Amino acid sequence: MTQRMVDSTGAVEIPDEPTMFHSIVPPVLIPLPLRARPHKGKNIFFGLLSSLIGPILVVGALLLAFAVFDGSFPARDIILFIVFGPISFLGGIGFTGVALTCIIDAMRKNPVLVIDAEGFRDTRSGVRIKWSAIRRATLLFTRSGIAGVDLHLRGSMEAWQNPFRIGVLGFRWRPKPDHLILSVAFLDARPHILAYTVLALTQRQGGEVATKTSFVDLGLTPITPTKL
């Protein structure tokens, strides 16, 4: 892969998104700054769906607990409660957290992610990070595609990281002082464009990137500044 650079007009070149039928794709030029707002439709739909699933799981776990404690639950089936009770309760808490996060994000009107030639600003986490402060950027995938970018920073920082946000959920529960997950899911810009713009600008400032996908390698895995 050739080095992705920011040109004089304030744009960055990234590989276009491949498909199952076209694994070799030409590069595209992304103008900067790149702004992304929450996708209202996706956040509202998933928020409402999660708001239904969450309470059902929590209530189900509580009903199982009451049945065990009052003796109406068969003794031979207590092992089922021990296994599925905590799973149901924690799953319900997780879905409830996702629901609240999605609904709050759907109410945001201003851009939550702004990417420019100097760095990016994420109002969801309350951070402004320069590309030179990133040691390594790694793509994070779910079954639906790119969900976020795991940033390994050159120094520690304090940032609010919502563990229930799509793109963060399931990857890291507790924050690390020198790591930050940048969620690119459920925004009104394509996750591929947001994530690869972050990778290209990180790489331009000497950071490492890792970007292998499930069905095609876009030529970024792994690339270090010494290999460019």
Side-chain angles (χ1 to χ4, degrees), residues 1-14 30 32 115-119 130-137 154 195-209 220 223-226 228:
M1 172 193 165
T2 58
Q3 187 173 7
R4 307 298 179 187
M5 297 295 292
V6 178
D7 66 16
S8 58
T9 63
V12 61
E13 184 182 275
I14 65 172
I30 305 300
L32 298 175
I115 300 173
D116 56 37
E118 300 297 325
K130 294 185 176 181
W131 305 120
S132 58
I134 301 174
R135 182 188 304 276
R136 182 178 178 85
R154 299 184 187 276
Y196 275 87
T197 299
V198 169
L199 296 183
L201 293 168
T202 296
Q203 189 180 67
R204 176 177 178 261
Q205 290 294 327
E208 301 177 6
V209 298
L220 292 165
I223 291 181
T224 61
T226 58
L228 296 176

Side-chain angles (χ1 to χ4, degrees), residues 16-79:
D16 199 2
E17 189 169 8
T19 66
M20 295 183 64
F21 304 102
H22 299 90
S23 60
I24 301 177
V25 291
V28 293
L29 202 63
I30 305 300
L32 298 175
L34 179 59
R35 297 180 173 88
R37 294 176 172 83
H39 192 289
K40 289 188 179 298
K42 291 181 179 179
N43 279 285
I44 291 175
F45 174 78
F46 204 77
L48 292 177
L49 180 62
S50 299
S51 68
L52 295 176
I53 298 175
I56 290 174
L57 292 176
V58 172
V59 171
L62 293 177
L63 289 177
L64 283 175
F66 292 146
V68 169
F69 290 125
D70 69 9
S72 61
F73 201 79
R76 65 178 182 276
D77 293 334
I78 290 181
I79 186 65

Side-chain angles (χ1 to χ4, degrees), residues 87-220:
I87 294 176
S88 178
F89 183 78
L90 293 176
I93 295 298
F95 274 105
T96 302
V98 170
L100 292 173
T101 300
C102 287
I103 292 172
I104 292 173
D105 282 350
M107 297 172 61
R108 300 177 189 267
K109 297 181 179 180
N110 296 324
V112 296
L113 179 60
V114 179
I115 300 173
D116 56 37
E118 300 297 325
F120 72 86
R121 176 171 55 86
D122 184 357
T123 60
R124 299 166 299 178
S125 299
V127 297
R128 165 72 181 178
I129 297 179
K130 294 185 176 181
W131 305 120
S132 58
I134 301 174
R135 182 188 304 276
R136 182 178 178 85
T138 305
L139 289 188
L140 299 175
F141 290 90
T142 63
R143 292 187 178 183
S144 60
I146 299 174
V149 185
D150 189 8
L151 303 175
H152 183 185
L153 307 177
R154 299 184 187 276
S156 62
M157 65 170 296
E158 294 184 3
W160 159 245
Q161 190 83 81
N162 187 340
F164 298 111
R165 174 163 284 111
I166 303 299
V168 179
L169 181 68
F171 293 106
R172 182 172 300 129
W173 179 255
R174 299 181 62 182
K176 293 183 178 180
D178 59 345
H179 283 75
L180 178 74
I181 294 179
L182 176 64
S183 172
V184 296
F186 285 18
L187 299 177
D188 62 359
R190 287 160 52 196
H192 176 92
I193 290 178
L194 295 172
Y196 275 87
T197 299
V198 169
L199 296 183
L201 293 168
T202 296
Q203 189 180 67
R204 176 177 178 261
Q205 290 294 327
E208 301 177 6
V209 298
T211 66
K212 193 169 185 177
T213 71
S214 57
F215 62 93
V216 63
D217 186 348
L218 295 184
L220 292 165

